[in-house]
Amino acid sequence: MKQPEIKSTNFITDNFLLENETAQALYHDYAKDMPIIDYHNHLSPKLIAENKPLANITEAWLKEDHYKWRGMRANGIEEKFITGNASEEEKFLKWAETVPYTLRNPLFHWTQLELKRYFNINTILQPSTAKSIYNQTNTILANKTPAQLLEQLKVEVVCTTDDPCDSLEYHQKIAKQNFFTKVFPTFRSDNLFSINQDDFTKYLNKLALAVSFSINSYSDFISAIDSRIDFFHDNGCRLSDYGVSGAFTIVDFTIDDVTTIFQKKLKKETLSSQEINKYKSSIYLHLGKRYHEKNWVQQYHLGPLRNNNKRLQKQFGSDAGCDSIGDYAMAESMSKLFNELDETHQLAKTIAYNLNPSQNEVFVTMLGNFNNSDIAGKMQWGSAWWFLDQKDGIERQINTLSNLGLLSRFIGMLTDSRSFLSFTRHEYFRRILCNIIAKDVNKGLIPNDIKFLGKMVQDICYYNAVNYFNFKTN
């Protein structure tokens, strides 16, 4: 049966998502032209440094986008057209076939926003328009470098996600180029925690090469970590990140405990779950103290259940698009870790993101326990993340933060993306933010003072992040 067509031009009008005149004024007069600080994403520093045009729209859109992969699988598309060996055009056509079926999924909004903002395309992507859009976008991309795509949407700062062993050679190359966008590394420590993995000792060898000394003890390991933190700091890093897969558990330990546990791992002995938790707790605490010392921001991404589909994982590897929301307890361990750091005045500026929406109130109230006069909004409940960064999830995050914290001190949106075309998500967030505030004005719940509210909107979209991160952009 022939697939039905959407008989419409692009619905992304100037007033998309803006339901009244107040919302329109807040967005167009205050939010729209704010620069973007994207303080967490997975863009490739190599592609930015080399600054060559992307090969085609398939590379830009589909190569590493597990959101789209999940949508295509849900639509019954064969894997060869998703992560397999089909041609770039064939993959794009299968994505175009899927787009009409994404109606009411954020993928539909994101797709049309990106087509409009980057390519000035007002046509709905679907099978009947796919070849024309494929050719049109490829023609434009052939003449646009990654740096130009970032500048096009006024992306002032990008913070990539980088392993402690990374040489940062591409960040160093970027720093020597006169790009509009400043690109900084983020110290992503996941592999430092992977003592329960078989390849942990291989990672230790890689780390030893990076620091130019052998790692034969827990003390050596800590020295290596400290050396890499210093190296990252010297290369502009001001953020750390933890991508915590599975449970987040903080337990008591002694240095003697952890020293013995580390030696057992070097001897390839089996570790108990309690030993693993003691080891991880020691690393969380040590890193937290170092981040405070460096005046970094620490980020915790908590709550995914990773690699659920083992067949897909074996076929493709991690990040195949078979992760989901987990249902882990979080509050007690968050409290324990933050308390231990706070008691010695070593709790760094912190952003915590939850993936399970049932924990919205848990996270915002837990973080609120540890604010102080170091900086306004020191403890940030992160923006709606991963499965939650759609209209409903963003609205719930904004409303929960408003009810239980200070929305006016929020540092705003990020992309958490591998795509150079994803920065319209800031526009998406800004429109939703302006609409929520405007609806309260119309209901008489807050004062109808457009200048005051406009300044609040600009703070959330840009200025709060400028003050919070204090990047050296000159």
Side-chain angles (χ1 to χ4, degrees), residues 164 187 192-193 200 204 207-208 211 213-230 253-255 258-259 262-263 266 278-291 293:
F187 191 82
L192 302 177
F193 291 87
F200 181 69
L204 291 182
L207 181 59
V211 297
F213 60 80
S214 299
I215 299 175
N216 298 314
S217 66
Y218 180 73
S219 177
D220 291 341
F221 182 55
I222 293 299
S223 295
I225 292 173
D226 290 347
S227 175
R228 298 310 291 172
I229 289 174
D230 291 341
F253 65 90
T254 68
I255 294 300
V258 182
T259 298
F262 196 84
Q263 287 302 130
L266 293 182
K278 283 186 176 184
Y279 166 82
K280 290 184 177 181
S281 298
S282 76
I283 303 302
Y284 280 123
L285 194 63
H286 178 78
L287 289 176
K289 292 177 179 178
R290 285 306 315 274
Y291 299 155
E293 177 187 328

Side-chain angles (χ1 to χ4, degrees), residues 98-251:
T98 300
V99 168
Y101 293 99
T102 67
L103 206 66
R104 298 203 81 242
N105 184 288
L107 285 166
F108 193 77
H109 284 168
W110 295 343
T111 295
Q112 297 307 137
L113 262 175
E114 291 174 23
L115 286 175
K116 188 173 182 70
R117 294 293 173 250
Y118 289 100
F119 307 104
N120 197 29
I121 291 174
N122 291 302
T123 308
I124 301 292
L125 179 59
Q126 53 190 318
S128 62
T129 63
K131 287 196 174 183
S132 172
I133 290 175
Y134 184 76
N135 292 330
Q136 188 175 344
T137 54
N138 286 346
T139 298
I140 293 172
L141 285 173
N143 296 289
K144 284 282 184 76
T145 67
Q148 289 172 326
L149 290 169
L150 292 169
E151 184 173 358
Q152 184 174 339
L153 263 68
K154 298 178 69 174
V155 183
E156 190 173 276
V157 172
V158 155
C159 294
T160 59
T161 302
D162 309 280
D163 184 84
C165 293
D166 197 292
S167 69
L168 303 185
E169 61 180 299
Y170 295 111
H171 291 87
Q172 293 165 357
K173 290 178 180 178
I174 293 168
K176 295 175 182 177
Q177 301 185 62
N178 189 29
F179 292 156
F180 171 84
T181 306
K182 305 303 179 186
V183 181
F184 301 109
T186 298
F187 191 82
R188 175 78 172 223
S189 60
D190 298 22
N191 284 320
L192 302 177
F193 291 87
S194 61
I195 197 168
N196 55 314
Q197 301 297 320
D198 293 338
D199 58 359
F200 181 69
T201 51
K202 289 183 179 179
Y203 184 76
L204 291 182
N205 293 334
K206 185 177 179 182
L207 181 59
L209 286 174
V211 297
S212 300
F213 60 80
S214 299
I215 299 175
N216 298 314
S217 66
Y218 180 73
S219 177
D220 291 341
F221 182 55
I222 293 299
S223 295
I225 292 173
D226 290 347
S227 175
R228 298 310 291 172
I229 289 174
D230 291 341
F231 174 74
F232 269 63
H233 188 85
D234 291 343
N235 282 276
C237 177
R238 297 296 181 267
L239 284 93
S240 68
D241 188 26
Y242 311 79
V244 183
S245 179
F248 177 62
T249 306
I250 303 297
V251 299

Side-chain angles (χ1 to χ4, degrees), residues 48-87:
I48 300 173
E50 293 175 346
N51 204 31
K52 298 175 182 177
L54 302 175
N56 51 58
I57 186 63
T58 305
E59 179 182 341
W61 255 7
L62 296 171
K63 186 177 180 181
E64 297 183 274
D65 193 336
H66 49 80
Y67 289 90
K68 292 184 178 71
W69 296 350
R70 288 173 69 94
M72 293 170 76
R73 289 175 188 138
N75 197 41
I77 302 298
E78 287 184 68
E79 194 65 28
K80 72 175 183 178
F81 296 109
I82 303 171
T83 62
N85 59 3
S87 71

